[in-house]
Amino acid sequence: MCGDLLRNTAKRGESRPQAGGAPGSGRVTASGGQAGPLPPYLRREVARARPGHQGTGDSRACAPRPSMEGTELVTKVLSTWLTLVLGLILLPSAFGVSLGISEVYMKILVKTLEWATLRIEKGAPKESVLKSSASVGIIQRDESPMEKGLSGLRGRDFELSDVFYFSKKGLEAIVEDEVTQRFSSEELVSWNLLTRTNINFHYISPRLTMVWVLGVLIRYCVLLPLRVTLAFIGISLLVLGTTLVGQLPDSSLKTRLSEVVHLTCCRICVRALSGTIHYHNKQYRPQKGGICVANHTSPIDVLILTTDGCYAMVGQVHGGLMGVIQRAMVKACPHVWFERSEMKDRHLVTKRLKEHVADKKKLPILIFPEGTCINNTSVMMFKKGSFEIGGTIHPVAIKYNPQFGDAFWNSSKYNMVSYLLRVMTSWAIVCDVWYLPPMTREEGEDAVQFANRVKSAIAVQGGLTELPWDGSLKRAKVKDTFKEEQQKNYSKMIVGNGALNLDSD
Amino acid sequence: MGARASHAAAVPGAERIRRETGFSQACLLRLHHRFQALDRNNKGYLSRVDLQQIGALAVNPLGDRIIDSFFPDGNHQLDFPGFVRVLAHFRPVDEEDPGVRDPKQPEPLNSRMNKLRFAFQLYDLDRDGKISRNEMLQVLRLMVGVQVTEEQLESIADRTVQEADEDGDGAVSFLEFTKSLEKMNIEQKMSIRILK
């Protein structure tokens, strides 16, 4: 029996074509005919099967047979998989072509989630309306201005009861304020079969649980390895490609090649996240010599924007893997990286950015004026620094669809690695990108007003709420100047009338 | 599993808190979420800094006093039952008022009296049961900042104490406080309705 199997293995080994070619080459063809050199382990087997070694080879070859077949199987699977990946994902990325696999995946996903929502709604008891209030505030708010809130049965002088208004407003802020909730992920209206969003949803039915288990298996055992491989390939290609292109002298060929390298690697990385991106109004895509400004939700924003065009990125030089990527990228294309010490000097930063913008041949700069990641339900204060540089501002609005995966990076809760893992085990990243018409600073408008104008445009387009608060409230306390405004309002009320009353007393 | 999985069973001592404060299960869940969201470092309790970082509270002229009311007796840590106990003062009064309350049961935290007591202690810093003229001045100063002169503020404080003071001791006791506000719709002014 050993001998038979050995002979069969030998035959298979001889007829095995070279792996890594066209798709499907991993499959073994039973027909004969040598097509190339044998892999080493098979060479050993063939050698053992030769007559000279038959005697002693038999017993030796029989014992380790299972592991050799095991390794052979694993290698076959791996090479099939790699060639599929190459053929179906990497090559089309290089040419910007889509094979439509992700569309099919998304259709199936949407149908499954719709089915799940119906099941949950059918199964939910009548009183539990928790889920429908996800996007509405949890407090019934009385948004009347201070004057109305304070007036009672009397005139406008100070009364003991005035303290009620402020204490009520204060307690309302403690129960729910519009800023703190922006630094945690948005609650979903209906469950999307991910454990991490399962806060308000209880056990409904065995079928739903089975679908959920199936989902977990698919996400962790099929999608995650695939995505990790793609990400790995994408990043290595980026570093290699940009380093190679960086060796060339400056010329239009170099710019074109660096564009190709950047775009290909970004597309691979986006596929590594199963990203489906819809770009709207491509005619307003940022031009050279401009500044591109967008709302910030996560580091993936950069990936999403650079898939559709090349930008010069601005940021701090990091250490580790990020540093390697940054140094490689800057060889091929003039990004603007600052040392940590340089970042503190605002004039230096502005000067360098101004120089970059003034050169009309350089790529548009990409800046996120919020300065920190917000959870994609609102747009917070835009820092005026980016709007003082001059030049044309090209606003871009990015809105993620939270049903398929949460893209928000809660940097106080997760570090980069666990964040990436979470993103790679979600269903997909689906988002819309709107390019808005370019804006410039008008006469008599200062940087802050200009920043607010751009912010409104982005908020309106993306369907996000606009907040005047500073994103850095995530980490710091609010400035006292805002408290003075409230105090001013109140004083106007009691003293404006109090002065008159005092006279008449 | 989700770090925010907070089903009813996960709220510690839920039953006891419900009895004490009268909040419904759903409300308690929402408040527990909020407590966890405010607790930035997952300490399990809140500190003053956690509350001070709420933007809308920090710009409130009485913000510091309100935060103080959460940390009575020199405490520095606020646990969830304490958090809910203060918020319970602002629970809307139940519509179905039985009229005759069981005298052996403690007064519900959101009764008119308790709401007034909460407002009173925002004024009465030294907890002596009276609002002195000085304490009145201090609260006024908090609410107007630097916008009003000392003389104007003093005259306002004097007038208010005079109007409310009945026994002529120059300070406003709790009873005098409640008397001067008896016509006021406290239930509506000091209630926060949490949507389920």
Side-chain angles (χ1 to χ4, degrees), chain A residues 263-449:
Chain A
L263 284 175
T264 314
C265 299
C266 284
R267 286 194 197 115
I268 297 176
C269 288
V270 164
R271 279 165 215 240
L273 304 169
S274 295
T276 310
I277 312 172
H278 298 288
Y279 296 98
H280 305 265
N281 302 336
K282 282 203 189 188
Q283 69 269 23
Y284 295 126
R285 202 188 299 180
Q287 306 297 324
K288 291 198 181 175
I291 303 178
C292 176
V293 149
N295 57 319
H296 200 27
T297 308
S298 92
I300 298 182
D301 290 343
V302 176
L303 212 57
I304 291 189
L305 287 177
T306 48
T307 317
D308 196 41
C310 282
Y311 298 91
M313 294 181 220
V314 176
Q316 225 177 50
V317 172
H318 288 100
L321 178 64
M322 274 303 297
V324 171
I325 301 177
Q326 283 176 328
R327 276 190 290 273
M329 281 168 67
V330 84
K331 287 192 191 122
C333 163
H335 298 288
V336 187
W337 302 123
F338 291 101
E339 300 291 332
R340 178 154 272 209
S341 48
E342 290 174 332
M343 286 291 281
K344 303 241 170 68
D345 185 354
R346 275 193 54 196
H347 289 292
L348 181 65
V349 170
T350 322
K351 191 163 86 76
R352 267 184 77 178
L353 290 176
K354 272 201 177 113
E355 282 168 5
H356 186 112
V357 168
D359 183 353
K360 290 295 170 201
K361 284 206 306 261
K362 293 213 173 138
L363 298 170
I365 311 181
L366 179 57
I367 295 186
F368 296 104
E370 280 166 316
T372 186
C373 292
I374 315 289
N375 78 343
N376 208 234
T377 55
S378 64
V379 182
M380 294 220 189
M381 189 176 96
F382 274 8
K383 296 201 177 15
K384 63 178 164 76
S386 346
F387 298 91
E388 286 171 335
I389 303 174
T392 334
I393 303 277
H394 300 267
V396 179
I398 307 177
K399 178 86 177 96
Y400 291 89
N401 186 341
Q403 195 68 17
F404 296 101
D406 178 25
F408 167 59
W409 182 30
N410 193 343
S411 50
S412 48
K413 234 182 175 173
Y414 307 108
N415 61 8
M416 180 62 104
V417 177
S418 39
Y419 166 70
L420 283 176
L421 271 178
R422 279 171 65 92
V423 168
M424 288 194 187
T425 51
S426 317
W427 294 117
I429 299 286
V430 177
C431 67
D432 289 289
V433 175
W434 287 275
Y435 293 111
L436 295 166
M439 297 171 136
T440 38
R441 194 156 85 173
E442 287 170 5
E443 286 295 322
E445 201 182 29
D446 71 351
V448 174
Q449 290 165 331

Side-chain angles (χ1 to χ4, degrees), chain B residues 6 24-25 47 57 65 77 80 88 97 108 111 116 123 126 141 143 153 161-162 164 173 181 195:
Chain B
S6 142
S24 69
Q25 191 80 300
S47 64
L57 186 62
R65 287 285 174 103
Q77 295 182 359
F80 182 62
D97 185 8
S111 69
L116 283 168
Y123 282 104
D126 55 5
R141 184 50 77 191
M143 289 203 272
L153 222 55
V161 172
Q162 252 175 346
S173 72
L181 293 171
L195 301 169

Side-chain angles (χ1 to χ4, degrees), chain A residues 44-357:
Chain A
R44 267 182 270 125
E45 287 219 58
V46 170
R48 278 206 201 92
R50 283 205 198 106
H53 297 255
Q54 195 95 35
T56 40
D58 264 346
S59 47
R60 253 186 293 139
C62 276
R65 197 187 355 105
S67 70
M68 262 198 276
E69 276 198 4
T71 3
E72 188 193 298
L73 191 62
V74 166
T75 322
K76 237 191 308 182
V77 167
L78 265 179
S79 44
T80 324
W81 194 41
L82 276 174
T83 45
L84 275 176
V85 164
L86 182 74
L88 297 175
I89 301 182
L90 295 181
L91 282 177
S93 305
F95 298 110
V97 165
S98 166
L99 287 178
I101 302 178
S102 27
E103 274 90 29
V104 173
Y105 168 64
M106 293 302 292
K107 278 206 203 88
I108 302 177
L109 195 57
V110 166
K111 288 226 166 52
T112 321
L113 288 179
E114 274 173 9
W115 172 83
T117 315
L118 284 172
R119 295 287 312 192
I120 294 176
E121 279 174 5
K122 261 195 286 180
K126 293 292 180 281
E127 322 89 57
S128 81
V129 246
L130 270 175
K131 54 188 167 96
S132 57
S133 61
S135 44
V136 178
I138 65 171
I139 306 181
Q140 187 174 29
R141 291 238 184 201
D142 178 20
E143 296 289 357
S144 51
M146 200 192 278
E147 289 80 16
K148 199 154 159 278
L150 279 171
S151 66
L153 300 164
R154 42 58 167 190
R156 295 283 201 78
D157 305 322
F158 169 70
E159 282 288 332
L160 285 171
S161 55
D162 285 350
V163 76
F164 291 167
Y165 172 80
F166 288 114
S167 56
K168 178 171 167 177
K169 284 277 166 245
L171 268 280
E172 276 179 353
I174 291 183
V175 176
E176 179 194 42
D177 80 306
E178 43 181 18
V179 174
T180 316
Q181 59 173 299
R182 310 292 173 184
F183 297 133
S184 61
S185 302
E186 190 184 356
E187 270 187 42
L188 288 176
V189 180
S190 69
W191 192 33
N192 64 348
L193 294 177
L194 293 176
T195 323
R196 57 194 73 142
T197 48
N198 186 11
I199 319 165
N200 299 326
F201 304 104
H202 313 283
Y203 172 80
I204 301 287
S205 78
R207 226 187 299 175
L208 196 62
T209 320
M210 257 184 359
V211 172
W212 171 73
V213 168
L214 188 63
V216 169
L217 282 173
I218 293 181
R219 279 185 295 124
Y220 280 84
C221 304
V222 174
L223 292 178
L224 181 62
L226 176 66
R227 288 172 180 172
V228 170
T229 324
L230 281 177
F232 188 67
I233 296 178
I235 296 182
S236 343
L237 269 181
L238 181 66
V239 173
L240 272 172
T242 44
T243 321
L244 284 175
V245 172
Q247 310 300 328
L248 296 173
D250 280 333
S251 64
S252 63
L253 176 67
K254 178 178 181 185
T255 2
R256 264 223 307 268
L257 273 182
S258 97
E259 256 188 54
V260 168
V261 168
H262 273 103
L263 284 175
T264 314
C265 299
C266 284
R267 286 194 197 115
I268 297 176
C269 288
V270 164
R271 279 165 215 240
L273 304 169
S274 295
T276 310
I277 312 172
H278 298 288
Y279 296 98
H280 305 265
N281 302 336
K282 282 203 189 188
Q283 69 269 23
Y284 295 126
R285 202 188 299 180
Q287 306 297 324
K288 291 198 181 175
I291 303 178
C292 176
V293 149
N295 57 319
H296 200 27
T297 308
S298 92
I300 298 182
D301 290 343
V302 176
L303 212 57
I304 291 189
L305 287 177
T306 48
T307 317
D308 196 41
C310 282
Y311 298 91
M313 294 181 220
V314 176
Q316 225 177 50
V317 172
H318 288 100
L321 178 64
M322 274 303 297
V324 171
I325 301 177
Q326 283 176 328
R327 276 190 290 273
M329 281 168 67
V330 84
K331 287 192 191 122
C333 163
H335 298 288
V336 187
W337 302 123
F338 291 101
E339 300 291 332
R340 178 154 272 209
S341 48
E342 290 174 332
M343 286 291 281
K344 303 241 170 68
D345 185 354
R346 275 193 54 196
H347 289 292
L348 181 65
V349 170
T350 322
K351 191 163 86 76
R352 267 184 77 178
L353 290 176
K354 272 201 177 113
E355 282 168 5
H356 186 112
V357 168

